[in-house]
Amino acid sequence: PSAQEAEKATPMVRAAANPALEPLRRADPLARWAVTGSGALAYDTSQYGVADGQRAEALVLPLTLAILIVAFGALAAAGIPLALGLLATAATMGGVAIVGAFQPLSIAVQNVATMLGLALGIDYALLVVGRFREALASGLGVEDALAASMRTAGAAVVCSGLTVMIGLAGLAATPSLNVRSIGLGGGLVVLVGVGLALTLLPALLAVLGPRVDAPAGLRRHLAKLEAVNHWEAWSAWVCRHPLPLAAAGLLILATMCAPLAGLKTDFADADLLARHDLEFQRGMDLLAGMGRGNAGAPVLVLATAATPILDPLTMPALQALERQLGQDPRVQEVLGPVPANLDGAKFARKWRALRALAPAKFGAVLSADEKSALLTVVPDGRLRFEEVQALARDLGKAAAPGLTVEIGGQAALYNDVHYALMGSLPWLLAFVLGATFVVLALAYRSWLVPLKAIALNMLSVAAGYGALVVLFQWGWGGHFLGLEHGTGALPPAILATIFGIVFGLSMDYEVFLLARIKEGFDATHDNARAVREGLAATGGVITSAALIMVTVFGGFAGVHLIMVKMLGVGLAIAVFVDATIVRVLLAPAIMTLAGDWNWHPGYKSGDDPAKGTSA
């Protein structure tokens, strides 16, 4: 059966096995059993992944609402972004179900859709609602305030969505099903989030009008928590001391990126993929207790001949291959259609008669055309999974005159995925960085702005990677995350996913900041003033949005599946670094130092602000 069929069959096998084995339990109360293997792993992790997502969502929603209430000082204004985030998540899951009917998708897409649906839906609504309230406070009527909000914040949402889509599109083009599924699901999230922000959100704001600030009493109580003046003071300080602050920020980021020198990319041990109370893991623990810890993940060797492989001419070569495989000290046993020590000539004359007596047994190890035989190599139970991967690579080099040898199994699959992903990363980087540069260069008519944005975003991604090396690969402080020990390596799929998502989300905040700075510069052609006022106006929005994203992603740090835990922690740390050190310190400091060069070649010194920037 296929991997999907094995996963679907797991609950049926368990349902049949439990009553069949119940007499054994009655005879021996200490008897234990479990259905395990790759199919059981996929089934258990998918079931637990759904439950983990629901628990994480239940945890982060109240915290997110509290942050929004403090940020807006109004229940109505706070409720709208949260409602849009939930709606974006629900609509995305519906879209994922439709896409899944036409092509297979990984279960990972469910958790990622929940993360991004909440985060992006809230982010986009937060930006538009904040600008709408600002326009109302300036004295504009509802219609004019809404028009001004969509002309500015709405345009920023479109540009931001486009940059996020670039990162996710890169993921969708990778060879890994997990990463590709995340890219497709994330792309749906962005489309839904932007669509809601441009359609449903303005309709809600038009209906609410000034009532978006209700209730008035709550705002008075929370007024002391507002930090507009603090952001004005901070932006003025950054613009007065750009060089030392930029140097300090770069030093902090360099320290966070330093652990990347010890980065090792590979797959984590299998026992870290799921909790020990899952039946899959209980089965693996039972096998380990029997000294057969790797029986659930054998290396499969397919030998193919030009003629029927069990005939007298090819049988000796097959037996020689079995003996060669079994001589490896890392191999516990080799299972095939015929034992290596059996009289091959005698068996070769009678195998068709034996096959007629036991067709099912032969069908499991012999192809329909009789030219291929399957050898199951059980690795020594003491080997770590990375050692089993090395064994699979070495067995692929086995010499078998007259036979073609191919390697399969979980370890070989992970080897192939690793090579494919690592080979695709340069193309992923080139596509995302190149497309992002083009979009920002066209949007802001500048070459320095996109270069600065790309460089700073890469630092945010690298800081997230560095934290994962320390917490997961090395295991420092991992007990706070529920880890028994370090993973020893970081899966390339996690690194690719974090790059695609974080790079896009970092552009979210970059666009929020740049859009406001560009508005000010177009009006005054005073770069220092535009940076100062732009940071003061958006600092609160950026930090509130980032705090919500960190809360959403951080909620998934408590899940039990190690891959989702890695993703949640890596995203939370990278977003936190981007919204604090990068976006409200390094970016404005560097833009202040660059002066009018930020806007070249679209702007030339001496242009009249009243006539706009020169072409």
Side-chain angles (χ1 to χ4, degrees), residues 169-212:
L171 297 182
T174 61
S176 166
L177 174 63
N178 285 335
V179 179
R180 191 166 62 248
S181 298
I182 290 171
L184 291 172
L188 285 174
V189 169
V190 177
L191 289 175
V192 171
V194 172
L196 291 175
L198 298 181
T199 56
L200 179 60
L201 179 56
L204 290 174
L205 294 178
V207 171
L208 285 174
R211 288 173 295 179
V212 73

Side-chain angles (χ1 to χ4, degrees), residues 300-565:
L300 304 178
V301 179
L302 184 69
T304 302
T307 59
I309 198 166
L310 297 184
D311 279 359
L313 291 177
T314 49
M315 175 71 75
L318 179 62
Q319 287 188 296
L321 176 62
E322 288 189 50
R323 286 191 294 269
Q324 179 184 351
L325 298 176
Q327 289 170 357
D328 192 303
R330 297 167 293 178
V331 173
Q332 193 169 57
E333 64 178 330
V334 180
L335 306 173
V338 55
N341 57 0
L342 196 68
D343 185 339
K346 183 177 180 180
F347 182 85
R349 292 192 298 270
K350 298 182 177 181
W351 72 268
R352 281 194 172 85
L354 294 172
R355 180 181 185 183
L357 295 175
K361 291 185 178 180
F362 274 83
V365 294
L366 195 65
S367 64
D369 64 1
E370 302 177 348
K371 295 181 180 180
S372 298
L374 180 66
L375 306 178
T376 301
V377 179
V378 180
D380 188 299
R382 294 166 297 182
L383 296 182
R384 291 172 59 87
F385 188 68
E386 61 182 328
E387 295 173 313
V388 178
Q389 288 181 266
L391 173 63
R393 290 191 292 268
D394 293 341
L395 293 184
K397 305 172 186 175
L403 300 179
T404 300
V405 176
E406 297 174 286
I407 305 297
Q410 187 179 36
L413 171 64
Y414 282 11
N415 284 337
D416 291 344
V417 171
H418 177 81
Y419 294 142
L421 268 177
M422 295 306 293
S424 68
L425 282 181
W427 297 104
L428 172 63
L429 286 170
F431 168 74
V432 173
L433 300 185
T436 300
F437 178 86
V438 170
V439 169
L440 291 182
L442 292 175
Y444 295 102
R445 304 167 73 185
S446 162
W447 58 266
L448 184 60
V449 163
L451 286 178
K452 180 265 302 176
I454 288 171
L456 293 183
N457 284 9
M458 291 299 292
L459 286 175
S460 297
V461 173
Y465 286 170
L468 289 184
V469 170
V470 172
L471 293 171
F472 288 90
Q473 181 179 320
W474 298 345
W476 294 3
H479 59 281
F480 292 111
L481 297 170
L483 298 180
E484 296 178 7
H485 54 79
T487 61
L490 297 181
I494 289 294
L495 300 180
T497 302
I498 288 178
F499 167 75
I501 294 177
V502 170
F503 196 89
L505 295 182
S506 297
M507 282 300 172
D508 244 8
Y509 303 138
E510 178 74 8
V511 170
F512 291 176
L513 178 62
L514 279 177
R516 202 58 178 263
I517 294 176
K518 186 65 163 59
E519 285 181 44
F521 185 78
D522 285 345
T524 66
H525 284 186
D526 184 338
N527 181 77
R529 177 181 172 184
V531 172
R532 184 174 65 253
E533 293 179 351
L535 177 57
T538 60
V541 173
I542 290 175
T543 52
S544 296
L547 186 56
I548 289 169
M549 278 205 182
V550 170
T551 301
V552 172
F553 295 148
F556 285 83
V559 302
H560 299 107
L561 302 184
I562 188 67
M563 302 291 276
V564 179
K565 189 189 294 284

